[in-house]
Amino acid sequence: MSVLALESVSKRYRRGHRELIALRDVSLEIENGEVVCVSGGRGAGRTTLLRIVAGTERPDEGRVRFAGVELRDASDALRRQIAFCNLRFLPAHGRDACEHVAMPLHAIKVSHDQAGLLAHRALERVGAADLAFTSPHEWIPSEVVRVALARAIVREPRLLIFDEPTNGVDPLERDPLLSLIQGIAHESGIATLLTAGDTASVTGADRVLRLSGGELLGRTAPAVAEVVELRRPASESSQ
Amino acid sequence: MVGNAKLKPSARLAVLGLLLERPSWGYELVARFERVFGAQPWEWRVTPTAIYRALNRLEDDAMIEPLGRGDGERWTDSKQRRMRQSYRATGDGARTMREWLAVPMSSSPSQEELLIRVHFGDASDELLRAMLRRHAAACLEELERIAAATAQTRMQRLVKEDRRLAVQARLSWIDFALAELRGPDDARIRPVER
């Protein structure tokens, strides 16, 4: 069963005398551990797609299911298994990477010590252990991506949504970062949706799709033979 | 078996397409070819000789046939014939064109292929949109192959990036073409009653 399933989703916005069709009849399935990259230029419907998948916007038509549950009916606990990550977040100055990564854990009442430990582990996993006690203003763009990724995976989500994962990143650092995201997704069975204005984020994607004028083009569902059965890490069931 | 279903996008295929639209003769074909494919400086240009050569080869392959002069006689002067003999497409010619148009466009079509498909494939906007979606699918599959490719050496990385950007340009063109083909009923922005 797909972790994320959009069925014939459409969304329109009213603008005075006009109507803008943001998404038209979009269907999309993503399996455990699968990395799907959706590219689309300005006005293609990317932001609307992200909002609908993240549950902050409801479609006019169609259904969105997450882990088999209609997203609009999902409990807060289930919704927290969706991690949304973009690089426009502006971490407060003075807060170090470790505290920043631990922040989502405080929201679910994880103890301070345990949160610190898990944040360190997440930073290690993304190759940013040495940033633990550094401030955001010291980070270069690829390090911002690593910290953002650590923060997104610290709660071990089932679905990771990453908008513009390589925006502003030095071209030579792009592919290693994308391979890192893919490695984590495959290893931990996290269904991953990457979105970007161009195709720079395709490396490591298992499927590549295109949003064009609100229409989603490409293989919107994984081929049966390609469905990777990845188990959730043992650490999750023990938590 | 006459005809060649594997015709490449060439002047020969374009001439066949023009003759499928209506019978024509050499001189007129040269002018029509230019009007359709070579109106802009960056478009496809061929010499009149290439058009006449295409006619000869298409006739040899039985994809086109000469029409009589009307008085039942054929041209005797070869130069006159070359200039003024009218041709029409045969059933084999029509089938060849149909089969060629049915094959999905690759992720890196030549300009000739693109022009022929857009000009002769637009029996309806819906068919053309379907062609563009197939073209997008081919581009996205190519991107998946690019995504999976390991590029360890500098040369491999340069080639991979070159290819990715080329496919990205195709996808941008498809965005534009699909927008261009949207009619009032499926336009992105449309008026609504208050």
Side-chain angles (χ1 to χ4, degrees):
Chain A
M1 186 179 62
S2 302
V3 176
L4 176 73
L6 275 70
E7 293 170 20
S8 302
V9 164
S10 294
K11 182 76 186 173
R12 293 179 287 276
Y13 296 108
R14 189 83 178 252
R15 298 278 185 271
H17 290 281
R18 286 161 303 192
E19 182 180 67
L20 169 73
I21 300 177
L23 292 179
R24 58 178 97 212
D25 201 21
V26 166
S27 294
L28 172 65
E29 287 180 36
I30 308 182
E31 294 287 336
N32 276 336
E34 195 187 20
V35 181
V36 172
C37 180
V38 177
S39 74
R42 284 178 74 86
R46 205 155 43 89
T47 306
T48 305
L49 177 71
L50 285 176
R51 286 188 190 145
I52 285 176
V53 171
T56 57
E57 187 115 43
R58 286 191 184 176
D60 294 327
E61 287 154 38
R63 299 164 66 191
V64 183
R65 281 185 294 116
F66 171 58
V69 176
E70 287 264 1
L71 190 54
R72 62 168 185 238
D73 301 328
S75 64
D76 286 347
L78 189 58
R79 279 168 184 264
R80 274 198 288 268
Q81 293 187 10
I82 301 175
F84 188 91
C85 201
N86 77 43
L87 302 180
R88 286 187 289 273
F89 78 99
L90 288 171
H93 284 273
R95 184 172 277 142
D96 65 31
C98 195
E99 276 186 48
H100 195 74
V101 172
M103 215 181 293
L105 297 169
H106 299 320
I108 52 167
K109 312 275 187 250
V110 174
S111 73
H112 189 269
D113 288 352
Q114 178 71 2
L117 185 69
L118 291 172
H120 270 284
R121 275 196 204 147
L123 282 167
E124 265 171 28
R125 215 166 159 209
V126 300
D130 55 339
L131 298 177
F133 302 109
T134 59
S135 304
H137 70 267
E138 297 175 66
W139 307 335
I140 58 171
S142 63
E143 291 170 340
V144 175
V145 175
R146 285 177 195 270
V147 176
L149 182 61
R151 180 178 154 135
I153 63 168
V154 74
R155 269 195 326 217
E156 299 201 10
R158 293 191 69 183
L159 173 65
L160 169 66
I161 306 163
F162 208 143
D163 188 27
E164 298 278 10
T166 56
N167 203 10
V169 170
D170 185 284
L172 296 182
E173 293 180 278
R174 199 177 59 205
D175 282 4
L177 271 181
L178 293 165
S179 299
L180 173 72
I181 295 172
Q182 183 201 36
I184 290 171
H186 285 185
E187 203 178 291
S188 301
I190 304 172
T192 301
L193 173 63
L194 307 178
T195 57
D198 60 17
T199 61
S201 301
V202 297
T203 291
D206 300 304
R207 262 188 299 146
V208 179
L209 294 103
R210 177 81 172 175
L211 255 180
S212 179
E215 184 183 355
L216 191 59
L217 304 172
R219 296 188 299 137
T220 54
V224 176
E226 290 173 13
V227 173
V228 185
E229 290 294 337
L230 288 166
R231 291 190 181 281
R232 306 285 297 154
S235 57
E236 185 187 289
S237 49
S238 64
Q239 276 174 20
Chain B
M1 171 74 188
V2 288
N4 176 7
K6 290 180 184 168
L7 265 186
K8 287 181 181 158
S10 59
R12 197 154 46 121
L13 195 59
V15 167
L16 175 60
L18 291 172
L19 287 174
L20 277 162
E21 288 180 340
R22 63 180 154 92
S24 201
W25 65 95
Y27 181 78
E28 192 200 39
L29 277 169
V30 171
R32 282 176 66 200
F33 188 99
E34 187 148 323
R35 267 202 310 277
V36 172
F37 298 111
Q40 302 290 343
W42 56 85
E43 287 178 346
W44 186 13
R45 292 184 179 275
V46 296
T47 59
T49 310
I51 302 276
Y52 294 121
R53 200 182 308 128
L55 282 170
N56 289 339
R57 291 192 58 191
L58 286 167
E59 189 180 2
D60 290 346
D61 288 342
M63 287 195 236
I64 61 170
E65 60 191 10
L67 287 168
R69 279 177 62 183
D71 52 7
E73 289 182 34
R74 306 285 289 266
W75 301 103
T76 47
D77 181 301
S78 68
K79 192 175 174 189
Q80 258 195 344
R81 177 180 191 268
R82 197 171 116 106
M83 295 283 287
R84 299 183 59 186
Q85 172 66 59
S86 282
Y87 292 90
R88 70 176 167 207
T90 62
D92 280 325
R95 194 175 55 248
T96 300
M97 183 56 120
R98 236 181 0 255
E99 286 170 358
W100 186 83
L101 286 171
V103 175
M105 189 157 39
S106 74
S107 61
S108 52
S110 62
Q111 190 192 24
E112 290 81 358
E113 174 171 3
L114 198 62
L115 288 168
I116 291 174
R117 284 185 188 276
V118 171
H119 186 74
F120 298 116
D122 64 347
S124 73
D125 283 359
E126 192 42 56
L127 282 178
L128 204 48
R129 277 197 291 266
M131 182 196 88
L132 288 167
R133 289 188 185 107
R134 287 199 302 272
H135 183 30
C139 289
L140 292 166
E141 280 171 24
E142 168 99 25
L143 274 179
E144 285 172 4
R145 285 192 291 275
I146 293 169
T150 50
Q152 281 159 348
T153 66
R154 174 185 289 170
M155 181 60 83
Q156 287 169 343
R157 284 192 292 276
L158 291 175
V159 171
K160 182 176 169 177
E161 188 68 355
D162 173 66
R163 196 65 213 122
R164 178 185 73 77
L165 289 169
V167 179
Q168 179 174 298
R170 298 303 314 157
L171 287 169
S172 298
W173 178 82
I174 292 168
D175 290 344
F176 177 85
L178 283 173
E180 177 88 25
L181 283 167
R182 282 199 185 98
D185 291 342
D186 62 349
R188 195 89 210 284
I189 300 171
R190 55 192 176 198
V192 286
E193 289 180 16
R194 304 204 89 169

